[in-house]
Amino acid sequence: MSERPPTIYDVAKAAGVAASTVSRAFARPGRVNFATAERIRRVAAELGYRVSPLARGLSAGRTSMIGLGVADIGNPFYTEIIRGAQDAAAEAGYTLLVTDARESGAREREALERAVTTVDGLVLATSRMSDSAIRAIAKQRPVVVLNRAVTDVPSVLTDTADGMRRVVEHLAGLGHEGFTYVAGPEASWADGMRWRSLRELAPGSRRLGPYAPSVPGGGAAAADFLRAPSSAVVTYNDAMAIGLIRRLTVMGVRVPRDVSVVSFDNVEAAELVTPALTTVATPLRAMGRTAVVNVLAIANGAVPHTTEPMVLPSRLVVRASTARREKGGGRAVWEGPAPHAERRRNRTSPAWGTTNASGSSRRTADGSR
Amino acid sequence: MSERPPTIYDVAKAAGVAASTVSRAFARPGRVNFATAERIRRVAAELGYRVSPLARGLSAGRTSMIGLGVADIGNPFYTEIIRGAQDAAAEAGYTLLVTDARESGAREREALERAVTTVDGLVLATSRMSDSAIRAIAKQRPVVVLNRAVTDVPSVLTDTADGMRRVVEHLAGLGHEGFTYVAGPEASWADGMRWRSLRELAPGSRRLGPYAPSVPGGGAAAADFLRAPSSAVVTYNDAMAIGLIRRLTVMGVRVPRDVSVVSFDNVEAAELVTPALTTVATPLRAMGRTAVVNVLAIANGAVPHTTEPMVLPSRLVVRASTARREKGGGRAVWEGPAPHAERRRNRTSPAWGTTNASGSSRRTADGSR
DNA sequence: CAACATGTGGCAACCGCTTGCCGCTCCGGC
DNA sequence: GCCGGAGCGGCAAGCGGTTGCCACATGTTG
């Protein structure tokens, strides 16, 4: 629209200097005499000049953009990662280019291939690509993968074993013993880790699935679960826990009275649903940030000392979806009203602002029943 | 990392043709003899050649990227918009560049200025910038604004008046009469529209706020609301409704038994919380899609016939946060001192029921998503 | 058979900015 | 007075494509 935007040549002419000087005035502070630079800046502002990232990127070889590949931009799991990445990128003067694979491996490849030449570095969150495909990309640009370990590629992940240990301890402390793991996507590296950790910590555990890592997916697990129930369930992620709990509720099984449910991730909705979810908080934001910081470091010449994964700690957020196991609960818990035993739960303070509402609201609901 | 990626010149040499032919083989199907093009493509594939979007953008003047500016990429309100935009962009072979203002007007300007030269068109979702700032950008690139009307700039918005009419009819049908509007951000165009519509349709309505358009923001409104309650509340958006309901519940006011709450947007969480929200479904996805389709049309030469806003229909999704108003209630459930009792009586006598059987299950499923 | 349209490929001039290299000026030191 | 260096600005060659224009070979047409 309107006339063509001004270039450094227009500015140069107006300021009576060479184009190279204008370029340097913007990109190389100190290289140009201060007064000159000042004048150039003034003239540029008057003309409404802005550098063209395209041209700059083409000639300089750096674009100040870093890419973040996610499977689904709308998935709440990623939103915190995106925020963390965004923060770190912005702080470093970089623009974050989020590419959405929309749950398709093919699309992921395509989008990434398009982006790879455009960005100075790439963060891959929960990629569906093969290790070798990732390594191929890592040959062209600095890459950091999230939530997954790929040999020879730097990665940041959370301490699954530790998180699961907390889960098991928490549940055991409430009197639960046999656990059911409701699995997410088979291709998921994290899913494998979680199940493996659980089985190691609680050898008697069983596994259901895989199911889609979504609310409906969790719902689908309900019927299977009831076929061979246990007093406590661990789900792959929060969405599945929500789906499972809803479905169970419809079927007359009360959570947490009859069944305790623990999930992973601690997405925002985990606190909003009823019952609020007891969940292992994956440090999503920190992961996004860490990944970007590192990819930037590598892009700017830092040789990664090691490709050992960076492991971030996780913590258990206890809310209302877990409770002490009812005595005499040896029988199928959903078959009738559970005994109204006194129960009490120690909860850690929720990580979110606004809260105590979840706690109180739950207590209210119970009391008025 | 590794050696420099191949260019058209490398491909040209390997294929024994001129660089321009290579370029055309990729960008101008049909312009080159099929056999030649085929050979070039093969050689290119062997070499692992990919076009550089940067270089292409620089010389061709088009980048096949379109920008989408949002206030907060993690806000569920935007996720559906993003998805819709993403879909439309992908279908047209464009890449979507989402820029996140992170709730800051300054950042929005900065990010947009950086992006504007990079993209072929821009969609502004709920911008915080002034009309004139938007028009300035619209002079440089095709722009479509969402959820807001800016003279001389194409826009797509939802039929607020119609949506509000449904709300009022729904509530009236349940026996409610005096409404309270819990307002969102003052700068929000949509907020103004919603309040204005409500006041026109139900002149007796009152307005509370503004509050932050978030869960805590809605919670903050609870106390104010109880100071001069009504039997039905309309909130600016879903997040506020969730916050309000939670806070009210803590204070002993039951929703929907004591107070009915209707909100706007129908974000994903609206269905997951308890009680599930009765809400006006803003066609988020369709808006994103429509905006992109139109900005693309303009970018590709279509002269907008008119800058009349494109208005998308909205619909009311009835769930569990609204219920029939109880007759003969009348006693304030919250029992605390009600400072403005006098005024309250003059308005609408709040009738908190005591015998409502309306339960937690939602009455109407909103199957489609 | 001449005149001309059509299909293909090459040449070279950009697109807007960066940067290595050069040259001029000015200064201080010997 | 001469020399080396620092400071500062200009020149010009790219970066990797795109595209207007031209040239040549063939096919068509009258």
Side-chain angles (χ1 to χ4, degrees), chain B residues 6 27 34 52 64 73 98 110 115 130 136 152 164 172 185 230 241 251 262 283 294-295 305 323-324 360:
Chain B
F34 183 78
S52 154
S64 292
I73 207 171
V98 183
E110 192 196 336
S130 65
D152 296 336
M164 194 60 89
S230 57
M251 297 167 111
V262 182
N294 278 79
V295 86
H305 297 293
R324 174 157 298 282
S360 52

Side-chain angles (χ1 to χ4, degrees), chain A residues 8-9 20 23 28 49 56 59:
Chain A
I8 47 170
Y9 292 95
S20 51
S23 171
R28 196 88 27 173
Y49 166 80
R56 183 204 286 275
S59 68

Side-chain angles (χ1 to χ4, degrees), chain A residues 247-271:
Chain A
R247 198 91 204 83
L248 286 179
T249 303
V250 169
M251 297 167 110
V253 180
R254 287 153 303 174
V255 174
R257 177 171 301 186
D258 300 332
V259 177
S260 283
V261 177
V262 182
S263 49
F264 276 78
D265 293 349
N266 191 32
V267 301
E268 296 190 46
E271 194 207 0

Side-chain angles (χ1 to χ4, degrees), chain A residues 154-168:
Chain A
S155 60
V156 5
L157 19 95
T158 56
D159 196 336
T160 306
D162 184 60
M164 193 59 89
R165 188 182 51 69
R166 288 166 206 254
V167 170
V168 170

Side-chain angles (χ1 to χ4, degrees), chain A residues 179-190:
Chain A
F179 309 133
T180 301
Y181 179 70
V182 176
E186 210 143 16
S188 162
W189 192 87

Side-chain angles (χ1 to χ4, degrees), chain A residues 182-183 210-222 239-240 243-244:
Chain A
V182 176
Y211 303 95
S214 57
V215 174
M240 296 179 77
L244 174 66

Side-chain angles (χ1 to χ4, degrees), chain B residues 94-153:
Chain B
Y94 280 70
T95 299
L96 190 69
L97 173 56
V98 183
T99 70
D100 182 356
R102 298 191 303 155
E103 301 289 2
S104 143
R107 243 181 318 244
E108 180 178 2
R109 281 199 78 101
E110 192 196 336
L112 252 31
E113 282 194 342
R114 186 184 306 215
V116 73
T117 56
T118 309
V119 299
D120 294 345
L122 221 35
V123 175
L124 265 30
T126 322
S127 170
R128 313 210 158 192
M129 297 188 304
S130 65
D131 281 21
S132 61
I134 291 177
R135 267 191 293 271
I137 292 185
K139 274 205 179 58
Q140 309 177 48
R141 286 282 186 285
V143 167
V144 170
V145 299
L146 279 184
N147 245 318
R148 167 168 175 173
V150 177
T151 24
D152 296 336
V153 178

Side-chain angles (χ1 to χ4, degrees), chain B residues 204-217:
Chain B
S205 305
R206 284 173 311 109
R207 179 172 184 272
L208 251 38
Y211 302 95
S214 57
V215 173

